[in-house]
């Protein structure tokens, strides 16, 4: 039987440890082709490159447990998926996985996430897709603990398919001395970022800013991804790209916008 | 009575005719402050600038019918809104409007749209917000025809508020010889882009690509934005940033991910 073909990408760039781990985990399940950014693309949201050229180079990063093929691409995560599906892969992949991101993409972070934009792009193009993120920013984060869970989710997705119009947003808590407790299917917690702009003056005397901020959770729900993560569970949020707030259509019709 | 304070932004850049028109339309309704990108940011999705510095300059673009204040910002549309709300405005605006975009942001385009990412960012931060787009890419597109409709939608939003967790995605058909027929509240049509990568060779003999593609409508529904636009109606899609596909949570629970 033909092994499933798995397209692997991320937003931290092709040499990121999280991607290298995900490739190894996927190699035990299927054939792996990598199309990943040649440089970090965190916070790129669903950006695509329409006013610039794109490059893709076939490269070898590591021989042991490596992918069948790896392409280093100059674009955003969404570009990588578009290019992989349309130009670089010989056949349609059975699954696209993105990550493992160095840092959380839970709650409202899904909106800013390059990791999830790659998965969503695959979903839009009809490929079952999953984004994986570990809630730890450090380069030497431990991805091994999550391996059996990631493989279980991937195998279930390959066996059952993912509901149409949906991609999975999987976040893994950063546990150090405690074990992971399991997996919870969740909804996205309501939250936002309380921005703080760090204002500085450059050597020429001109002001500039760094965007910083603090995550502000606005949701105490026990069915949310944030609650799951805080309790050492892996969160799985089914995430859709039909953004319509269907439940508000009637309310807006009451505005009577066509009356004079 | 204090006039409403309206934050105006876009993704085509601070000198784009669509933004200049929107400023004029809003000046007839409230006080206007502009925080817009200093260069075109189309296709930026919900990108934010986390690995680079940001600049904002108070500028004067035009005196007649101009805004109270205008800031030209080095960041993405989402950055502009964050910076406006947190750093540049003295008080919380009553409304944020983004656009008028030169080109459609209907259907799946909402995902890639810098115009809508600015509106969504304002929505996340609790500000009622609307993105406006005209389905015409040309720089000399006629925005005047849409003026009464845009003003009507804005006045209704100020009077009624916008449902919580929702921003409005307004698209205006490009009518030339026919009148606009009115406004329809719609859902986002299912669609994707059939990418085509235009492969070329640079003077050094290296391959590169331009991302191009064709819009592929997968949805014949008469309640969609695409149907409204094709029939000369302005489409209004209530758009949410809770991406959870709530209806699929039970189905995913059936995967029994915690069984051994």
């Amino acid at each position: 039987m033909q092994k499933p073909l798995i397209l692997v990408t991320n937003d931290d760039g092709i040499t990121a440890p999280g991607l290298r781990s995900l490739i190894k985990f996927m190699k035990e399940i299927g054939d792996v082709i990598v199309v990943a950014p040649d440089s970090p693309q965190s916070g790129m949201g669903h950006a695509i490159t329409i006013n610039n050229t794109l490059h893709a180079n076939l490269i070898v990063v590591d021989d042991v447990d490596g992918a069948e093929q790896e392409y280093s691409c100059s674009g955003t995560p969404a570009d990588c998926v578009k290019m992989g599906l349309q130009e670089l892969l010989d056949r349609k992949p059975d699954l696209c996985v993105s990550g493992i991101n160095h840092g959380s993409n839970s709650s409202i972070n899904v909106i800013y996430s390059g990791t999830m934009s790659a998965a969503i792009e695959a979903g839009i193009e009809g490929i079952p897709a999953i984004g994986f993120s570990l809630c730890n920013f450090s380069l030497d984060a431990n991805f091994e603990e999550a391996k059996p869970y990631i493989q279980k989710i991937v195998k279930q997705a390959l066996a059952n398919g993912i509901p149409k119009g949906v991609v999975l947003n999987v976040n893994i808590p950063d546990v150090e001395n405690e074990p992971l407790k399991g997996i919870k299917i969740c909804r996205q917690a309501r939250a936002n970022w309380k921005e703080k702009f760090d204002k500085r003056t450059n050597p020429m005397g001109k002001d500039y800013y760094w965007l910083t901020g603090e995550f502000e959770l606005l949701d105490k729900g026990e069915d949310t991804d944030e609650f799951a993560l805080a309790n050492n569970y892996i969160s799985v949020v089914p995430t859709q790209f039909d953004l319509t707030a269907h439940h508000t259509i009637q309310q807006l019709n009451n505005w009577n916008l066509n009356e004079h």
Side-chain angles (χ1 to χ4, degrees), chain A residues 81-98:
Chain A
V81 170
K82 284 180 184 286
M83 201 175 240
L85 296 181
Q86 196 59 39
E87 195 69 25
L88 304 174
L89 273 68
D90 292 332
R91 63 181 173 99
K92 196 172 165 171
D94 300 288
L95 185 72
C96 173
V97 292
S98 179

Side-chain angles (χ1 to χ4, degrees), chain A residues 23-51:
Chain A
I23 293 168
K24 276 188 231 162
F25 301 168
M26 293 304 104
K27 275 294 292 179
E28 297 177 11
I29 296 173
D31 290 330
V32 171
I33 296 187
V34 178
V35 183
D38 59 10
S39 61
Q41 298 278 332
S42 295
M44 281 306 280
H46 211 100
I48 53 173
T49 303
I50 50 181
N51 288 315

Side-chain angles (χ1 to χ4, degrees), chain A residues 81-246:
Chain A
V81 170
K82 284 180 184 286
M83 201 175 240
L85 296 181
Q86 196 59 39
E87 195 69 25
L88 304 174
L89 273 68
D90 292 332
R91 63 181 173 99
K92 196 172 165 171
D94 300 288
L95 185 72
C96 173
V97 292
S98 179
I100 305 167
N101 190 59
H102 293 252
S104 167
N105 281 315
S106 59
S107 181
I108 196 64
N109 299 308
V110 67
I111 294 267
Y112 307 100
S113 164
T115 303
M116 281 305 296
S117 79
I120 289 173
E121 182 60 39
I124 292 171
E125 308 216 15
I127 314 291
I130 312 173
F132 292 102
S133 306
L134 179 67
C135 302
N136 180 333
F137 282 99
S138 76
L139 265 183
D140 59 354
N142 175 18
F143 295 100
E144 283 300 317
E145 180 111 18
K147 177 178 166 179
Y149 298 94
I150 288 173
Q151 289 186 332
K152 182 178 266 185
I153 292 168
V154 163
K155 284 175 185 169
Q156 286 289 330
L158 285 167
N160 301 318
I162 292 175
K164 208 177 160 191
V166 167
V167 303
L168 302 184
N169 182 17
V170 178
N171 282 272
I172 301 150
D174 181 34
V175 294
E176 292 207 359
N177 301 314
E178 297 163 89
L180 286 165
K181 283 205 198 132
I183 300 172
K184 275 194 195 287
I185 314 295
C186 307
R187 67 173 173 86
Q188 172 188 326
R190 275 182 305 109
N192 63 19
W193 283 83
K194 271 264 162 274
E195 274 81 30
K196 277 179 79 173
F197 284 88
D198 184 345
K199 190 173 179 176
R200 302 186 180 191
T201 306
N202 76 11
M204 285 70 74
K206 194 169 145 44
D207 289 339
Y208 68 97
Y209 300 88
W210 288 101
L211 170 58
T212 69
E214 270 182 27
F215 183 74
E216 187 178 40
L217 182 61
L218 306 169
D219 194 331
K220 297 227 155 77
E222 300 195 357
D223 55 347
T224 66
D225 49 3
E226 290 302 326
F227 187 87
L229 292 165
N231 288 281
N232 289 353
Y233 284 90
I234 291 171
S235 66
V236 177
V237 176
T239 298
Q240 62 191 5
F241 41 86
D242 173 4
L243 307 188
T244 312
H246 292 276

